[in-house]
Amino acid sequence: MDRGSIGQQFSETFTGATVGTSIDNLSMPCVAWRLTYYAENMAALSVQVEGAPDNNGAPGTWAIIPSTVIFGSNPLTDPNAGTLVVDDTAYYPWLRLNCTVFTPIGPSGTIKARVYGYKATLGRWVYAMLLN
């Protein structure tokens, strides 16, 4: 198995505290994830990766993914930029980003996030590979 094979990728742009799009992880299952974001004009923020079970083709109850964090934290809170790398042995049929805190400097701000999902657990070696 190619341990670095990307199975899913998606982007989100937040202009307020809101949940992102529900991502179907059923057809191309991933168990490890990397989230990178860049923020503009933000005083404070909190972005977290959440997973949910499948409920007859729809997401069940959402919860923050209690993963093995290789780099960063879940949630991420740096008001400028951040990266989270999780290597999880649990599979989540649905995934989303949730921006729970959004405090701009002035009248507006933006958070642009990109998520990559990997088909197999990555192990600690991914720390150096993904951050270079």
Side-chain angles (χ1 to χ4, degrees):
M1 181 178 286
D2 179 3
R3 295 177 69 75
S5 182
I6 295 176
Q8 299 263 15
Q9 53 184 314
F10 63 94
S11 299
E12 291 283 355
T13 299
F14 294 101
T15 57
T18 187
V19 297
T21 304
S22 298
I23 303 300
D24 176 349
N25 192 31
L26 296 164
S27 60
M28 196 177 301
C30 295
V31 295
W33 301 92
R34 178 183 65 166
L35 160 62
T36 301
Y37 74 90
Y38 300 94
E40 298 175 0
N41 299 319
M42 296 300 297
L45 62 81
S46 182
V47 176
Q48 63 192 38
V49 179
E50 297 178 341
D54 185 58
N55 185 10
N56 296 317
T61 302
W62 292 99
I64 192 166
I65 293 179
S67 306
T68 302
V69 175
I70 295 174
F71 185 83
S73 62
N74 195 14
L76 290 163
T77 58
D78 187 295
N80 300 304
T83 298
L84 166 66
V85 178
V86 294
D87 188 14
D88 203 347
T89 56
Y91 164 69
Y92 296 91
W94 295 90
L95 193 85
R96 73 178 182 188
L97 298 181
N98 188 354
C99 179
T100 60
V101 174
F102 189 94
T103 307
I105 297 170
S108 64
T110 303
I111 303 167
K112 295 181 180 180
R114 183 85 176 152
V115 177
Y116 295 92
Y118 298 88
K119 296 178 186 177
T121 59
L122 298 170
R124 300 275 177 198
W125 65 269
V126 77
Y127 175 82
M129 182 190 79
L130 293 177
L131 298 175
N132 289 327

